[in-house]
Amino acid sequence: MKNHNLYTLFFGIFIFSFTASADILRVNSSLNTDVSQKLYKTINEAVSAATAGDTLMIEGSSVIYSTATIKKSLVLIGPGYFLTENSQTQANGATATMQQITIESSATGTILEGLTFSKDYNYYAPYVEADNVIISRCYCPNPIQTVNSINNLLVLQNYFVGNAIEVGYSYYTFNNVLLKNNYVGGVVNIPSDNQNSRIFSSVENNVFAGNIILTATAFRSNIITSSSATVTITSANIQNNLVAGTQLSGNGNQTYNSSQLFINADTASTDGKYKLQANSPYLTAGYNGTQPGIFGGSEPYVLSGIPPVPSIYEFNADNIANKQTGLSVEIKAKANQ
């Protein structure tokens, strides 16, 4: 038996399980557009062909997807990231690597999930002009840019190599931004004042490696890994956070012992190393006795950003086939949450 990549089978399973009236379009930058098969080479081609509410399945490819603009409410789903580091991810280890994606104000309700943004230029990132946007399970070397005054942005279960969110201009505001279960390798420096209100509805179950300056309704169950990080939180509910230094205390906030927190980083994947040890005394140190950090809470981080659709993580087939015996195929697949 021999391993093969088989994306058509993956998408067949997804289409079979999809029960909404919206359409599903494939996008693959390594293939040529075939409208009859609802297959498109570029995201912009698929966006033009799609109707509001449709889903674009962005397939893993060795060719980076060019800059795209979303003008209507769509769902863009990629295969995830770190696919060769974690087990049972995708049979094809190629990511769907993006340049810049701009979500215009007319695209309210758009969802980005399982996408990898290129690190080649600092503007390769999601640019958000619309309300009610969800950015989930994406790999982001550069921060999300808010390039309008927006409401209701959900930033969930992402891996940020550097900063998480930046505001395009000083006069842009936002309201009800949820930052939850993300790893943030850089900073979140978004001050708010009476003239320029930028309020996070909740900042929960994140791991922060850098400075944090923000205003939030609640700041809970986070882990701050730098003892020298500046932590300036404006909130009435700063509760049950773990810090490497002494930036926060009281209300369940505490300084953690690094030898008792995360699993052995030398044997873990890039994102898996932020799991808590099985016998860690901090497993219930989060708000209301829950687990702090990205693998805790009601929306725990998913390794490799695997999207919540069925995936084939192993595919085996014989090298040859004939009419009499057919082709012997073995697959291993799983549903994802």
Side-chain angles (χ1 to χ4, degrees), residues 86-143:
N86 294 303
S87 62
Q88 297 187 9
T89 56
Q90 305 281 6
N92 183 340
T95 59
T97 304
M98 308 285 113
Q99 294 182 356
Q100 178 181 318
I101 292 182
T102 298
I103 303 171
E104 293 193 346
S105 57
S106 57
T108 180
T110 287
I111 299 172
L112 305 182
E113 197 158 37
L115 303 177
T116 297
F117 286 85
S118 173
K119 62 182 180 181
D120 291 346
Y121 296 98
N122 60 10
Y123 56 84
Y124 286 171
Y127 279 59
V128 182
E129 300 178 11
D131 294 338
N132 305 316
V133 167
I134 298 174
I135 300 175
S136 176
R137 305 188 190 186
C138 291
Y139 175 86
C140 300
N142 302 305

Side-chain angles (χ1 to χ4, degrees), residues 246-323:
T246 57
Q247 299 98 325
L248 300 175
S249 62
N251 294 323
N253 301 296
Q254 60 178 305
T255 300
Y256 67 83
N257 182 334
S258 59
S259 67
Q260 297 178 306
L261 188 62
F262 296 124
I263 64 174
N264 186 351
D266 294 335
T267 58
S269 63
T270 300
D271 52 354
K273 64 185 178 183
Y274 298 104
K275 288 184 175 181
L276 270 59
Q277 297 174 19
N279 60 349
S280 173
Y282 306 111
L283 284 171
T284 57
Y287 184 66
N288 280 340
T290 58
Q291 182 180 155
I294 61 176
F295 292 98
S298 59
E299 299 286 347
Y301 180 90
V302 176
L303 288 173
S304 290
I306 299 297
V309 295
S311 63
I312 293 173
Y313 63 86
E314 186 174 325
F315 173 76
N316 300 293
D318 289 336
N319 290 324
I320 58 174
N322 57 61
K323 292 182 178 180

Side-chain angles (χ1 to χ4, degrees), residues 11 14 23-25 27 42-44 46-47 50-51 53-59 65-80 96 98-103 107 109-117 126 134-138 305 307-309:
F11 287 106
F14 176 75
D23 206 353
I24 298 173
L25 293 74
V27 187
T42 70
I43 295 175
N44 280 330
V47 169
T51 301
D54 286 350
T55 295
L56 310 186
M57 301 300 297
I58 317 296
E59 302 183 10
Y65 289 90
S66 57
T67 295
T69 300
I70 312 300
K71 298 177 179 290
K72 65 196 78 170
S73 176
L74 296 172
V75 179
L76 279 67
I77 300 178
M98 308 285 113
Q99 294 182 356
Q100 178 181 318
I101 292 182
T102 298
I103 303 171
T110 287
I111 299 172
L112 305 182
E113 197 158 37
L115 303 177
T116 297
F117 286 85
I134 298 174
I135 300 175
S136 176
R137 305 188 190 186
C138 291
V309 295

Side-chain angles (χ1 to χ4, degrees), residues 320-332:
I320 58 174
N322 57 61
K323 292 182 178 180
Q324 287 72 36
T325 61
L327 176 66
S328 177
V329 174
E330 177 185 350
I331 66 169
K332 294 182 179 180

